[in-house]
Structure formats: structure tokens, C-alpha cells
Amino acid sequence: MHDKIETISSIDKIHLLTKKLRQEKKSIGFVPTMGYLHEGHLSLVSESKKNNDVTIVSIFVNPTQFAPSEDLTTYPRDLERDKKLLAELGTDYLFFPNVEDFYPDDFQSHVSVNEITKILEGEFRPTHFKGVTTVVAMLFNCVMPDNTYFGQKDAQQAAVIKQMVKDMKFDIKINVCPIIREEDGLAMSSRNVFLDEKERQDALVLSKSLKLAEELINEGERETKKILTEMEKLINSVDTSQLDYVSIVEVESFKITDRIEKNKNYYILIACKIGKTRLIDNKLLKM
Ligand code: PAF
């Protein structure tokens, strides 16, 4: 078992390292994170280790993807614990850039993706995806990976990044890995730590409403409006909940759909506040 992980903060050093790895014909798997790692992140690292010669994980709490009203300053952090978890998994390198190096005073570029960022998360967090795509493009340029690993929990984020990679001609494969849940169904998230005991129970309404939607579809319901209405009723029955959206989109196009059709794949998506904590969850539906 490894007890230490080599940590690189300098952009010059990560460029040198990944250049050398490419010269040695080593495949690079990359898992970008904002730290405070949980089983969901670790499953991405394991997937990368299975499929690449070298695995690099980044931890960077990216300020530009948080709106001023959001939780940047309180976002949970525990670098020493994260390093230990990554070392235990045999992760090869941790890239831990500084905010001042990533966003120097004269920084003035950004990458933004258009249509797909306007709906759902984009409607409730209008500046979020521009921050995500900009930092992910920077991280990709630092690490130049062959494969990257993103969690399905942030399904829209994965779709936005896939679109960016396609449009910007990055030679990088995006792998989307399944959601990892607690035993009782709550999707793992760094933000779950903010939930008090009652809210932790109440938060189960997200996964329960996804299950309800799946049951309705299995019973033959095809009109999304009816399915979403039942989900909303269940979510609104919990007094700490404040629903942002429930929606059903086609997996590939991420377009909102009115009807569930045969031979197509869909995501049923939820964003909901439980108390002050905003949570998201989704279910992949293969028809
Ligand atoms: O999903 C996340 O943790 C972040 O949005 C990401 C992809 C690391 C970009 O900051």
C-alpha cells in the first residue's frame, strides 16, 4: 500500500511530467475534482487506474464556477485526508494548482458552450458552466490526458464537457461513470456534509422521487408531464425541500423531452434544496 502521493502544484512541472509520460508512450487517465473526496470520486480513480498506465487526479476548488451567493468559501476541504485516500488507491500524481497561477490578475479568456448550458442547471446557475468549461479546458491543457473520468451525478456537466471536447477538437475521451450511493439511496456528494440529521433523512426524497418516476414508466406511463407532476408532489411533501427543477432529457442531445419513446436513453434529473444545501441527482433510463 502506498502512503504518499506525489503532489505537483506548478504548471511548468505538470507540463514537463505529462510531456515525459507521453514520450514514454504511457497512457494518461485524469480525474478532475474539487476535493473532499468520497466513494464517487474514488470509483472514478479506480476506473482510470484499470484503463491507463498513469492516473492523475486534480484538486482545485474553482472559484469561477461559484456565483457570489454560492458556497465557495464554505466548500468543504480536507487536503490531507484526500491525499491519504488517493495514495491508498495507488493514484500516481495529484495536481493541486494555485488559484493565483490559474487565474492571474491579467487573466482574460474563457471557454463557453452555448445551447446546452442554458437549461436546467444553467437556468438556476447562469454563470456556472462557463466557469466549469474554462477550468476544465485549462486542466486538460495542463494534463493532456488520453482518458478523463466524470461522474454521472453531474450528468449535464458531463454533457457540456463532451460538447466542448467535440467542438474544440480536444483529443480526449470523456468517460461517464455511474452514480455511487449511500446504502439508503442518497447520491454521494461532498455537499452532503452540510445536511443536519433531519435534512439527511429528508434528502432521501430525491432518490425516492427518481424511483417513483422509474416505477411509473415501468407501469407504462410515457407522458413526462404526468411523471414529473408525481415527482414534484412527493418532493414538495418534505418540509425542508425547495425544488429547482425535475426534468427528463435525452441522454445524447440533452434535449428536454415530452414523451418517453422506445429504444432511446433518458436522464430523469432533479435539483432541489434541502434546507440550505442544494443537491442534484438523476437516473439513467434505458428504454
Ligand atoms: O465536478 C467537479 O468537481 C467540478 O465541476 C470540476 C469538473 C472538477 C471542475 O471544477
Side-chain angles (χ1 to χ4, degrees):
M1 197 175 79
H2 308 245
D3 59 353
K4 277 221 156 71
I5 179 163
E6 188 171 334
T7 304
I8 296 167
S9 286
S10 141
I11 294 171
D12 286 346
K13 281 196 182 140
I14 194 83
H15 275 150
L16 274 176
L17 169 72
T18 54
K19 207 178 208 174
K20 178 170 151 283
L21 293 172
R22 277 191 302 282
Q23 277 163 358
E24 291 168 357
K25 305 258 178 294
K26 298 229 166 92
S27 61
I28 303 175
F30 177 48
V31 182
T33 81
M34 298 207 298
Y36 210 71
L37 305 177
H38 52 67
E39 289 297 322
H41 297 112
L42 300 182
S43 72
L44 305 180
V45 177
S46 299
E47 198 55 28
S48 171
K49 279 193 62 67
K50 251 193 265 163
N51 295 295
N52 300 280
D53 297 321
V54 175
T55 290
I56 302 178
V57 173
S58 67
I59 295 181
F60 182 67
V61 182
N62 172 38
T64 65
Q65 68 189 73
F66 292 80
S69 59
E70 292 177 355
D71 55 354
L72 172 64
T73 51
T74 53
Y75 196 82
R77 299 166 207 235
D78 191 341
L79 182 60
E80 288 317 309
R81 182 177 151 276
D82 288 349
K83 279 187 182 175
K84 196 163 165 281
L85 290 170
L86 292 173
E88 278 168 10
L89 269 187
T91 314
D92 298 286
Y93 299 97
L94 170 63
F95 179 40
F96 184 67
N98 298 310
V99 180
E100 306 77 48
D101 289 342
F102 254 26
Y103 295 110
D105 287 343
D106 64 347
F107 187 87
Q108 39 187 311
S109 305
H110 68 257
V111 181
S112 67
V113 175
N114 230 337
E115 289 309 311
I116 190 176
T117 63
K118 287 185 183 149
I119 56 167
L120 306 170
E121 284 302 286
E123 192 185 330
F124 287 87
R125 306 180 72 191
T127 57
H128 172 67
F129 284 123
K130 185 167 139 188
V132 170
T133 41
T134 300
V135 81
V136 169
M138 289 199 276
L139 290 164
F140 284 179
N141 280 329
C142 289
V143 176
M144 297 273 207
D146 300 280
N147 282 297
T148 61
Y149 298 84
F150 289 87
Q152 182 203 306
K153 189 165 84 63
D154 294 288
Q156 191 175 5
Q157 167 173 279
V160 169
I161 290 167
K162 272 189 181 171
Q163 187 69 43
M164 173 187 85
V165 161
K166 181 166 166 267
D167 292 346
M168 295 291 112
K169 329 299 181 212
F170 281 102
D171 186 14
I172 294 173
K173 180 156 186 254
I174 307 293
N175 300 277
V176 183
C177 303
I179 297 176
I180 306 293
R181 297 181 180 279
E182 303 285 356
E183 252 174 49
D184 59 8
L186 182 68
M188 292 207 183
S189 162
S190 305
R191 288 189 170 99
N192 290 349
V193 72
F194 294 135
L195 301 167
D196 68 23
E197 214 174 302
K198 177 181 182 325
E199 290 167 347
R200 172 67 185 74
Q201 273 308 304
D202 288 353
L204 294 179
V205 79
L206 278 85
S207 55
K208 281 184 185 158
S209 71
L210 290 170
K211 218 163 163 213
L212 171 67
E214 195 180 33
E215 278 163 17
L216 292 170
I217 293 163
N218 287 342
E219 284 163 15
E221 185 56 66
R222 292 293 175 265
E223 259 187 66
T224 55
K225 207 170 163 201
K226 289 193 183 151
I227 300 162
L228 299 177
T229 305
E230 291 309 311
M231 290 176 75
E232 278 171 25
K233 270 195 223 156
L234 180 60
I235 294 162
N236 292 334
S237 71
V238 167
D239 62 358
T240 54
S241 79
Q242 198 190 315
L243 184 63
D244 277 354
Y245 62 80
V246 277
S247 190
I248 302 184
V249 301
E250 280 180 36
V251 167
E252 286 313 317
S253 65
F254 227 85
K255 290 223 162 83
I256 294 172
T257 189
D258 293 341
R259 268 195 82 75
I260 308 285
E261 283 168 25
K262 242 175 140 178
N263 301 325
K264 287 196 172 174
N265 296 334
Y266 298 95
Y267 284 126
I268 315 168
L269 302 148
I270 304 183
C272 180
K273 269 195 182 151
I274 299 290
K276 289 199 170 81
T277 307
R278 188 172 185 279
L279 300 175
I280 57 173
D281 198 355
N282 69 74
K283 200 175 228 342
L284 175 63
L285 203 67
K286 293 188 174 178
M287 296 302 293

